Amino acid sequence: MALAACTVAALALASDAGAAGPRDDTAWLQARLDAGGSVFLPELPSGQCYATRGLWVSRDDTSISSDGACIVALGLGPARIETADGRPVRANAVFLLDHSSIYAPPPVRVAISGLRIIVPAAKRMAGISVLGHETTLSHLTIGGSPTTDVAIGSGAQGSGGMTARIAVTDCRLSGGRRDVISAFGAVGLRVEGNTLSGARGPRGGRPAAGLHLRAADRGQPTLDVRVAQNRIVDNAGPGVFVELDLKDGPPVLASGIEISGNQILRNARTAPATRRGGIVLAGGQNDGDGQIVLTDNVVRRNRGPGILERKLRLRVNAARNDLRGNSGGAVKGERVTPEPAPSGKEPGVPQATAAGAVRDDTAWLQARLDARGGTIFLPKLPNGECYATRGLWVSNDDTTIASDGGCIVSLGPGEVRLRSTDGDPIASTGVFFVNRSRKSKPAPVRVTIDNLRIIVPDGQTMVGVAVFGHQITLRRLDIGGSPKDDVSIGGRANGNGYAGGVSVLDSTLSGASRNAISAYGVIGLRIEGDTIRGVRDSPPGQPAAGIDVEPDDRGQPTLDVRILRNTIEDNAGPGILLELDSNSGPAVIATAIEISGNTIVRNSRKSTPPKRAGIVIAGGQDGGGGTLILRDNAIRENGGPGILATRLKLSVQTSGNDLGGNEGGPSTGLEVAPRRQEATYPR
């Protein structure tokens, strides 16, 4: 009641101000949105509309609702943040869902419903722009001539992250001059029950699609997208445009796309030949294994074919589609068979070391890595000698660094080639630092490092291997000495905010001061068959885990992570730590995690790490929809309980785990099924 009274008072003040001139509700609306919570906009009398400049929606758990009121755009709103190169960012949508400070995360759990939004052509604004996560748009009408009715995510070549768990349902969206809905980096997108019509793009210009699914950079993911029961009609461009053929190469992750039960009629009126069809499918996941389902769609009377395939790299499961009456026939186009990665063994040529000199192989190794991809073979040196190098940048695609068991010793960090978003210089702080070397380049893909021994002397704060690329395989490595982490995996400065398709296999990792494996922002991580031991907790108070899966912020994903058949023993902290609640809140995406068949013994042997157990599970996916499988693990003789769960937000399936002999008992915070029985928790 107090909230309603405040809203009515604000409306009265706005009406009084409007009597002296054109209506402008920007100030009080922005103040109300900055306060957060629920904002209700009642329908105004006599068909009158609210009027506002672009509004920032930056607070979590904000709800904007109405009983059918209309709101008209007056132009761009204020600038609150700047781009990395110092350009001000203004509110270029009636509602711009983004953080207002670079020190705050983008907003989550925002809902907008029941409004009619009108954007005059002269204002050059979007209806709604979504740059946060967990957003629901429902029962909206957006029209006029917005640049895009609903713009989801953003990206440019060399930079593009995910936008997660967005739903657009039961809306009437029309008139977009670029597209009706445009979605970059969609993960968990739902577009259901809408009418998408009248995209206006000029002949041969903007795509002007009803729905435009896209990636700007090959590392930007498109996963788990459902487009269902929509009416997509009379757009100048294609009804649905899945644009996954990129200048910097095919996407690393593009799969789980469903287009079903839609009416896609009379589209592509002025589209050029490359975009002329009811549904246009272009490109796809780089290994050709991405999946798209097309079922029960009525795709008729479109210019061009019902379905146009352009250099398609997706596996298509199509059934029961009505493709009659399209001017170009039912289906037309071409598919691409992915080419195998380059191979071939190229011997390395280590320089001779003069008597008494300190060996340094940095120059020739870095020059070779920079020149091209392919295989660099480092033969085992005689008399137990090791290669020696400062941190090396590995930035070219399709690079293999292999050996017959040779060793390489760290000499300290290498050169600075990147800067963080806040301007800090980034040197190569891993013996192998797998990342792009320039901001304009994409993160490297298909890199393998195989059968090497990597030694980091004490006092260097170096990582054995730092992985910030995609589809990276570390195999048969022996990493030791005193690295900060044996292996660090994540999205630091790679332009995508995550690392995808990384595997750590059949390796021995030891001696780390912080964690043997640190993983933050991962999709498709596989850790299998490794021996992980002797994490030291130096200085005291580190996580000191064998494996630490821990997003730095809630927007970093933890998706499809498999930790299988490893021996994790004698570490100062937990054998496995899943710390899924970040300082900015629960993870937006944390699901499809499996920990199976591992031997996790004699961990948490020191009292100084903050959490002690064989396995620690803290937090989970926001809203509790994530899943974790714990199966057939031997978790014994650890300090603390075998399994410690705190603030649990995951559905956990347990079976076949041996939890005997742990200092704190079998488990705390999680009811675990007895061995050889199965249960699902929470109930």
Side-chain angles (χ1 to χ4, degrees):
M1 291 177 66
L3 174 60
C6 289
T7 302
V8 170
L11 291 175
L13 288 172
S15 298
D16 291 342
R23 184 180 187 109
D24 188 343
D25 298 285
T26 307
W28 71 267
L29 268 172
Q30 188 62 74
R32 188 64 192 83
L33 290 170
D34 288 343
S38 296
V39 180
F40 181 76
L41 300 177
E43 188 173 8
L44 297 178
S46 306
Q48 190 178 11
C49 294
Y50 300 95
T52 182
R53 306 191 76 81
L55 297 164
W56 289 84
V57 183
S58 303
R59 294 289 299 269
D60 294 351
D61 301 299
T62 297
S63 172
I64 305 163
S65 61
S66 179
D67 54 359
C70 66
I71 187 166
V72 176
L74 295 177
L76 299 178
R80 290 191 166 185
I81 57 176
E82 294 181 346
T83 63
D85 55 5
R87 289 182 292 118
V89 177
R90 300 184 69 182
N92 61 354
V94 176
F95 296 105
L96 172 61
L97 280 60
D98 197 2
H99 54 191
S100 293
S101 165
I102 61 171
Y103 302 107
V108 297
R109 299 181 301 275
V110 173
I112 305 176
S113 64
L115 274 167
R116 180 162 61 94
I117 299 171
I118 303 168
V119 183
K123 303 309 177 184
R124 303 187 64 81
M125 294 174 65
I128 298 175
S129 181
V130 180
L131 297 173
H133 307 290
E134 296 183 84
T135 298
T136 301
L137 309 179
S138 64
H139 298 93
L140 299 173
T141 298
I142 302 178
S145 296
T147 51
T148 304
D149 291 78
V150 176
I152 300 169
S154 65
Q157 187 171 329
S159 180
M162 74 169 189
T163 309
R165 298 172 63 187
I166 310 300
V168 184
T169 60
D170 302 310
C171 296
R172 296 179 63 87
L173 311 177
S174 63
R177 287 184 290 158
R178 298 173 183 170
D179 300 299
V180 177
I181 297 177
S182 175
F184 284 93
V187 176
L189 173 65
R190 301 291 181 264
V191 179
E192 299 176 349
N194 305 288
T195 297
L196 313 178
S197 65
R200 302 167 182 266
R203 186 179 296 274
R206 300 284 189 177
L211 172 63
H212 191 178
L213 298 175
R214 59 198 307 199
D217 176 78
R218 69 185 183 187
Q220 191 165 43
T222 302
L223 293 171
D224 184 23
V225 173
R226 186 168 191 264
V227 181
Q229 306 299 322
N230 301 285
R231 181 174 171 81
I232 307 175
V233 298
D234 298 317
N235 295 289
V240 177
F241 184 15
V242 181
E243 186 180 15
L244 300 172
D245 55 340
L246 310 178
K247 291 181 180 179
D248 61 3
V252 173
L253 292 171
S255 191
I257 303 168
E258 178 189 347
I259 302 172
S260 62
N262 303 283
Q263 294 183 13
I264 302 174
L265 311 173
R266 302 184 303 276
N267 298 287
R269 300 188 312 271
T270 61
T274 55
R275 300 196 296 266
R276 190 178 299 155
I279 299 173
V280 177
L281 308 176
Q285 189 165 291
N286 62 6
D287 61 4
D289 283 339
Q291 308 284 327
I292 185 167
V293 174
L294 300 170
T295 57
D296 299 310
N297 299 288
V298 177
V299 189
R300 301 191 62 180
R301 289 182 284 167
N302 299 282
R303 188 168 180 233
I307 300 173
L308 174 63
E309 299 173 349
R310 196 178 76 199
K311 297 182 181 178
L312 188 62
R313 291 174 176 263
L314 294 168
R315 296 182 184 273
V316 180
N317 179 3
R320 302 180 303 279
N321 297 293
D322 181 353
L323 303 176
R324 296 174 293 169
N326 299 291
S327 68
V331 181
K332 181 181 178 181
E334 58 183 343
R335 301 195 181 195
V336 174
T337 301
E339 298 179 1
S343 61
K345 188 172 180 179
E346 176 187 326
V349 185
Q351 298 173 337
T353 304
V358 176
R359 183 177 187 114
D360 189 343
D361 298 280
T362 306
W364 72 269
L365 264 173
Q366 188 63 75
R368 173 59 188 85
L369 288 166
D370 288 343
R372 59 192 180 280
T375 299
I376 303 170
F377 186 76
L378 300 176
K380 191 173 183 179
L381 297 178
N383 304 317
E385 188 176 8
C386 293
Y387 301 93
T389 181
R390 304 193 77 79
L392 296 165
W393 289 84
V394 183
S395 301
N396 279 314
D397 297 348
D398 301 302
T399 298
T400 296
I401 303 163
S403 181
D404 54 358
C407 68
I408 186 166
V409 175
S410 170
L411 297 175
E415 62 185 298
V416 170
R417 292 188 174 183
L418 292 174
R419 290 187 176 273
S420 66
T421 54
D422 54 2
D424 291 338
I426 297 176
S428 48
T429 52
V431 177
F432 295 104
F433 195 83
V434 185
N435 203 348
R436 59 184 182 172
S437 288
R438 297 195 305 273
K439 186 178 177 181
S440 60
K441 287 187 62 178
V445 298
R446 297 182 299 274
V447 172
T448 297
I449 304 175
D450 184 22
N451 201 19
L452 268 170
R453 184 159 61 95
I454 298 171
I455 302 167
V456 178
D458 194 17
Q460 289 189 1
T461 67
M462 288 282 286
V463 172
V465 181
V467 177
F468 306 120
H470 307 294
Q471 297 173 323
I472 312 299
T473 301
L474 310 182
R475 183 171 54 225
R476 297 188 296 171
L477 301 180
D478 185 342
I479 303 177
S482 298
K484 184 176 182 179
D485 297 328
D486 293 278
V487 177
S488 182
I489 304 165
R492 188 183 187 204
N494 73 353
N496 306 129
Y498 78 100
V502 177
S503 297
V504 184
L505 309 173
D506 304 317
S507 296
T508 298
L509 311 177
S510 63
S513 60
R514 183 172 64 175
N515 301 302
I517 297 176
S518 289
Y520 45 96
V522 289
I523 299 176
L525 174 63
R526 180 183 171 203
I527 301 171
E528 183 170 3
D530 303 301
T531 298
I532 298 170
R533 61 165 69 104
V535 177
R536 295 180 297 117
D537 188 29
S538 177
Q542 306 298 313
I547 300 170
D548 180 4
V549 179
E550 183 172 351
D552 284 339
D553 66 69
R554 65 189 181 190
Q556 289 185 336
T558 301
L559 175 63
D560 185 23
V561 173
R562 292 179 292 165
I563 302 172
L564 309 174
R565 294 179 289 281
N566 303 283
T567 297
I568 306 171
E569 59 187 13
D570 299 312
N571 297 293
I576 298 173
L577 171 60
L578 300 181
E579 186 68 68
L580 302 175
D581 273 0
S582 72
N583 290 335
S584 58
V588 173
I589 295 285
T591 190
I593 305 166
E594 180 180 358
I595 301 173
S596 295
N598 302 282
T599 300
I600 303 171
V601 295
R602 300 185 305 277
N603 298 287
S604 292
R605 307 311 292 174
K606 286 189 174 182
S607 61
T608 48
K611 293 182 179 177
R612 301 178 67 242
I615 296 175
V616 175
I617 310 162
Q621 182 167 292
D622 192 23
T627 63
L628 166 65
I629 294 172
L630 283 172
R631 182 169 56 209
D632 299 326
N633 301 286
I635 308 171
R636 301 181 60 89
E637 302 173 54
N638 298 283
I643 300 172
L644 171 63
T646 63
R647 309 182 309 280
L648 192 62
K649 298 182 185 68
L650 291 169
S651 176
V652 184
Q653 296 181 3
T654 72
S655 66
N657 298 292
D658 179 356
L659 298 172
N662 296 291
E663 179 184 293
S667 66
T668 299
L670 176 72
E671 184 181 352
V672 179
R675 244 180 133 178
R676 289 184 292 276
Q677 296 182 24
E678 186 162 346
T680 303
Y681 301 96
R683 288 174 175 168

